[in-house]
């Protein structure tokens, strides 16, 4: 009788341990391994996530259909699908809006802004449409070049070179506004080569007059003509 009494509480305690774990020490959830498709499809906006942060101006315009193109996911790479031919589109304010989107850090905005800006500048009369917008476009590119995110800076640098290839020497009057940010990043070893190549292309598209402008902000720059 007495022995059965001693066994009973032991059985109860054992049952409690197995069926009711302590709530204050939950089992850590295992992190799933990354999928091969994660590299092709970067993290996008979670529609069920936290929406406490207000969307950016570019995100708001994109959500309302103000950007006349959409991202098409491909098996190998993504591409843009335009609602109408880019040749028929007015650059004002579309080109400036796409340039503002270069500062985005979330997919699909990063891809849409970068590819949209590049493809719009490929149309036949791009120079005629882009040159009048330079006073408004250059400060937007400057903001991208001043961004702390490395990928944003690289998108801004690529966009600057693309713009220079289209407008040529017309960019020279605005170039000093952009060179300060390039000079700062030039001290970073991982960007030194890329920025040097970009400066050489600016000189190539802008002509020999560009050399003096670049050297006024970056004295160590070596001209491609020297």
């Amino acid at each position: 009788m007495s022995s059965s009494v001693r066994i009973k509480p032991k059985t109860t305690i054992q049952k409690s341990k197995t069926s009711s774990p302590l709530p204050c020490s939950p089992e850590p959830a295992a992190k799933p391994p990354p999928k091969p498709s994660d590299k092709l499809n970067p993290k996008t906006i979670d529609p069920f996530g936290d929406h406490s942060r207000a969307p950016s101006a570019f995100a708001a315009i994109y959500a309302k259909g103000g950007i006349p193109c959409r991202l098409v996911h491909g098996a190998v790479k993504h591409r843009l699908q335009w609602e109408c031919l880019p040749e028929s589109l007015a650059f004002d304010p579309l080109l400036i809006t796409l340039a503002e989107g270069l500062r985005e850090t979330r997919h699909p905005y990063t891809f849409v802004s970068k590819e949209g800006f590049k493809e719009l500048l490929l149309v036949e009369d791009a120079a005629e449409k882009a040159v009048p917008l330079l006073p408004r476009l250059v400060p937007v590119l400057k903001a991208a070049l001043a961004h702390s995110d490395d990928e944003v800076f690289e998108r801004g640098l690529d966009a600057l070179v693309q713009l220079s290839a289209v407008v040529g020497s017309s960019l020279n009057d605005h170039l000093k506004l952009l060179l300060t940010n390039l000079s700062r990043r030039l001290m970073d070893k991982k960007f030194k080569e890329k920025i040097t190549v970009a400066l050489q292309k600016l000189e190539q598209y802008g002509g020999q007059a560009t050399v003096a402008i670049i050297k006024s902000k970056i004295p160590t720059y070596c001209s491609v003509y020297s």
Side-chain angles (χ1 to χ4, degrees):
M1 182 73 176
S2 60
S3 60
S4 62
V5 172
R6 286 195 299 271
I7 294 171
K8 187 174 181 180
K10 183 177 180 181
T11 306
T12 304
I13 294 172
Q14 183 69 25
K15 183 177 179 182
S16 174
K17 287 182 179 180
T18 57
S19 61
S20 302
L22 294 176
C24 61
S25 57
E27 195 73 20
K31 187 177 181 180
K35 297 179 292 184
S37 60
D38 288 345
K39 186 175 181 180
L40 179 62
N41 298 300
K43 289 185 178 180
T44 188
I45 300 168
D46 180 7
F48 303 104
D50 182 15
H51 296 283
S52 58
R53 186 175 66 176
S56 65
F58 182 85
I61 293 172
Y62 183 82
K64 294 178 181 178
I67 311 296
C69 60
R70 284 293 179 269
L71 172 64
V72 177
H73 293 273
V76 179
K77 63 179 181 179
H78 304 322
R79 65 180 179 86
L80 287 183
Q81 179 176 323
W82 294 86
E83 297 174 3
C84 54
L85 292 176
E87 291 83 354
S88 65
L89 296 171
F91 276 31
D92 188 3
L94 181 57
L95 188 65
I96 297 172
T97 302
L98 290 169
E100 290 173 343
L102 296 172
R103 300 199 303 273
E104 293 289 340
T105 56
R106 296 185 296 173
H107 186 75
Y109 308 136
T110 51
F111 183 87
V112 171
S113 59
K114 177 181 178 179
E115 289 301 308
F117 188 88
K118 180 177 72 175
E119 292 183 20
L120 206 58
L121 287 177
L122 291 176
V123 303
E124 187 175 351
D125 57 348
E128 180 183 342
K129 293 180 177 180
V131 168
L133 300 178
L134 288 177
R136 295 158 57 197
L137 194 56
V138 167
V140 177
L141 290 179
K142 180 181 179 181
L145 294 172
H147 203 283
S148 59
D149 188 285
D150 288 348
E151 293 184 2
V152 172
F153 170 77
E154 289 187 281
R155 285 196 293 273
L157 187 61
D158 290 339
L160 173 60
V161 173
Q162 291 159 10
L163 181 65
S164 176
V166 172
V167 302
S169 60
S170 296
L171 185 62
N172 286 346
D173 292 338
H174 310 273
L175 200 52
K176 285 186 177 181
L177 294 174
L178 304 166
L179 291 173
T180 301
N181 299 113
L182 297 186
S183 177
R184 290 172 182 169
R185 288 278 189 164
L186 198 58
M187 305 302 292
D188 192 332
K189 290 183 179 180
K190 63 184 174 182
F191 291 120
K192 186 173 183 178
E193 183 178 355
K194 187 176 178 68
I195 293 174
T196 300
V197 172
L199 290 172
Q200 290 172 346
K201 289 183 177 179
L202 292 178
E203 179 185 347
Q204 176 187 344
Y205 300 135
Q208 292 192 15
T210 313
V211 179
I213 299 172
I214 295 177
K215 282 184 171 291
S216 68
K217 294 292 184 179
I218 308 175
T220 57
Y221 173 71
C222 295
S223 169
V224 293
Y225 297 108
S226 59

